Amino acid sequence: MAKKNNVVAVIAAFNEEKKISKVIRQVAKHVNHIIVVDDGSVDNTALKAKYKKVTILRHIINLGQGAALQTGFEYARILKPDVVITYDADGQFEASDINKFVKPIVKRKADVVLGSRFLGKALSMPQSRLIILKLGILFTRFFSNIRLTDTHNGFRAFSGEAINKIELKHNRWAHPSEIIYQISKNKFRVKEVPITVRYSKYSWKKGQKNTEAFKIPIELIIKALVNS
Amino acid sequence: MITPSQLLLASIILFVIWRTHAAYKKKNLSESFVAVWTIFWLGVLILVFKQDLVSQAAHSLGVSRGVDLVIYISLIVIFYFVYKILVLINDLDGKITQIIRKIAINEAKKRPHR
C-alpha cells in the first residue's frame, strides 16, 4: 500500500548515531521517502542517516522535537505526499506497524491516525511512565475534548491535506498536546491504531524524563498567554 | 529632617541615574530611553523626600499606607515587564526557529541527491 501511494516518513533525530541507521532501514521498506531532521546533533547522526530514499535536513542548533517535526512537515509538503508518518529515531517502534497507519488514510476513513501503546503493547514500560502518560491523557482530554487512549506518542500519520494545516509552534515537549489541539481545531477525523512500543535502556535514556512532563502545562500556559 | 532610609534610597536612585548616563555615553542606550528613565527615577527621588504626597495618593485610593501603594504599583509594573519580556522571548524564539528551518530546507533543496 505504501508503494502505490506517496508515503513520506518524518524522523526527528538528535544525537541518534547508534540507532538511526537501523531505524531508517526498517522504515524504508514501508515508505517511499524518508525525511530525517537532524536537530543540531553533535555526533554523526547525519552521516549515519545517509541512505537511499532519505533527505537529511540539518538544524544548525538544537531546537527541539516539535520544531524538527515542523521542519520535516514543511519539506514533506514539497513532495506532495498522500500520507506523512512521524516516527521516533530511537528504535522504540516497529516499522511493520506503518501499514496500519497508511490504510485508513488512503481509504479516506481518517485524516489523522494516532498510534496507541495502550491499545497495543508497551513492552518493559516503567510504572512511573505509565502514571505520567495517563495524567497526560486526562490533561489533553480536558483541554482538547478528544477522547484518546494515548496522546504523547510519536507514531502518527497525517493525510496530505491534514499536513498542510498542521503548524507546530511549540518547539519542545508540548508539541504532542499541540498536535491534538490542532486536530480538534481543524475537526480532523481521527483513528487510533494499536502499536507496539518497546522500552529499552537506550530509549529510556534518550527520551523525555518524567520530570520534564510537568513542564508541558507551564509551556502551554505561557505560550497561550503571550500569543493571546 | 532627612532619615537614614531616605539617604539610602536617594543614594541608590542617584547610582541608577549615574549608571544610566554612563551607559548612554558608551552609546549603549537610546536618547529617548535615557530621558524617560531619568525622569522616572527623579520622580521617585522627589517622592522619597515628599512622602506625604504618596500617603495622600494612597488615602485617596483607599489604601491605608503610602508604602503599600508603592508596593502594589511596583508589583503591577514588574508583572507587566515580565509579560513584555516573555512576549519578546517568544517572538525571538519564533524568528530563530524560522531562520534555522529555512536554512535546513534551502540546503537540502540545493543538494543534487536529496
Side-chain angles (χ1 to χ4, degrees):
Chain A
M1 187 155 305
K3 306 287 175 186
K4 275 186 278 170
N5 299 285
N6 188 14
V7 180
V8 176
V10 174
I11 302 176
F14 175 60
N15 292 341
E16 296 281 6
E17 65 177 4
K18 284 184 186 153
K19 290 274 178 182
I20 192 74
S21 186
K22 192 179 167 194
V23 168
I24 286 170
R25 277 165 176 73
Q26 287 168 347
V27 173
K29 290 176 198 159
H30 304 276
V31 302
N32 305 77
H33 200 108
I34 300 173
I35 299 165
V36 173
V37 185
D38 176 10
D39 190 23
S41 299
V42 291
D43 65 1
N44 290 318
T45 299
L47 203 68
K48 299 270 181 181
K50 278 188 183 164
Y51 193 64
K52 57 183 180 185
K53 297 186 185 178
V54 174
T55 298
I56 301 164
L57 306 178
R58 242 188 97 67
H59 282 174
I60 50 177
I61 57 167
N62 177 254
L63 292 177
Q65 198 182 28
L69 287 178
Q70 182 60 31
T71 302
F73 294 164
E74 289 188 17
Y75 191 85
R77 288 171 193 161
I78 301 168
L79 304 172
K80 308 234 177 300
D82 296 306
V83 184
V84 175
I85 304 270
T86 65
Y87 197 91
D88 285 357
D90 57 6
Q92 277 194 109
F93 300 143
E94 289 189 0
S96 56
D97 282 336
I98 288 175
N99 287 334
K100 289 186 207 166
F101 287 76
V102 174
K103 216 171 163 182
I105 290 180
V106 297
K107 290 198 166 176
R108 306 234 162 234
K109 291 199 169 142
D111 304 303
V112 180
V113 180
L114 303 173
S116 171
R117 71 201 103 183
F118 298 115
L119 292 177
K121 288 180 205 155
L123 304 172
S124 314
M125 178 162 66
Q127 198 67 20
S128 59
R129 178 52 56 96
L130 177 70
I131 295 163
I132 295 282
L133 285 170
K134 292 285 181 189
L135 284 173
I137 291 164
L138 285 176
F139 179 81
T140 311
R141 184 178 296 174
F142 183 75
F143 285 99
S144 69
N145 248 334
I146 299 183
R147 293 181 80 85
L148 295 168
T149 60
D150 197 355
T151 49
H152 287 71
N153 190 317
F155 206 166
R156 313 174 187 90
F158 302 87
S159 67
E161 294 83 28
I163 211 69
N164 287 334
K165 291 181 182 166
I166 294 282
E167 207 68 49
L168 300 181
K169 302 256 184 231
H170 283 274
N171 283 1
R172 296 197 177 272
W173 298 116
H175 75 273
S177 302
E178 193 185 15
I179 289 175
I180 308 294
Y181 301 140
Q182 294 203 10
I183 289 169
S184 166
K185 197 181 85 184
N186 287 296
K187 299 190 170 62
F188 291 143
R189 290 165 304 155
V190 188
K191 184 177 166 54
E192 281 192 296
V193 291
I195 59 160
T196 302
V197 178
R198 204 176 295 274
Y199 286 84
S200 62
K201 266 187 190 166
Y202 177 81
S203 70
W204 189 242
K205 200 180 101 195
K206 287 287 304 170
Q208 185 183 7
K209 307 283 170 289
N210 283 340
T211 47
E212 279 163 340
F214 295 101
K215 292 180 188 169
I216 294 173
I218 297 167
E219 262 185 46
L220 288 168
I221 290 164
I222 289 177
K223 204 81 167 179
L225 270 176
V226 295
N227 286 330
S228 60
Chain B
M1 201 184 109
I2 296 171
T3 63
S5 66
Q6 282 174 320
L7 260 183
L8 179 70
L9 284 171
S11 315
I12 292 169
I13 291 165
L14 289 174
F15 178 75
V16 170
I17 293 172
W18 172 61
R19 290 306 306 156
T20 306
H21 283 258
Y24 173 64
K25 275 184 190 164
K26 284 183 189 167
K27 302 197 188 299
N28 290 336
L29 296 173
S30 72
E31 221 165 79
S32 54
F33 175 82
V34 173
V36 171
W37 200 233
T38 308
I39 290 166
F40 170 77
W41 284 108
L42 286 175
V44 176
L45 190 65
I46 291 167
L47 293 179
V48 166
F49 292 101
K50 292 269 180 196
Q51 288 178 3
D52 48 329
L53 284 177
V54 185
S55 298
Q56 277 170 20
H59 289 310
S60 64
L61 289 170
V63 180
S64 55
R65 293 188 310 164
V67 69
D68 291 342
L69 180 68
V70 170
I71 290 169
Y72 297 157
I73 292 172
S74 306
L75 276 176
I76 293 167
V77 171
I78 289 167
F79 279 135
Y80 175 72
F81 277 121
V82 168
Y83 173 73
K84 291 300 278 183
I85 290 167
L86 274 178
V87 171
L88 185 71
I89 290 172
N90 184 58
D91 189 41
L92 285 174
D93 194 37
K95 282 178 182 163
I96 291 167
T97 302
Q98 278 187 355
I99 292 167
I100 292 169
R101 183 167 292 142
K102 266 208 169 129
I103 293 170
I105 293 174
N106 288 345
E107 288 293 315
K109 278 183 186 168
K110 273 190 226 161
R111 270 179 241 136
H113 301 291
R114 289 182 209 162

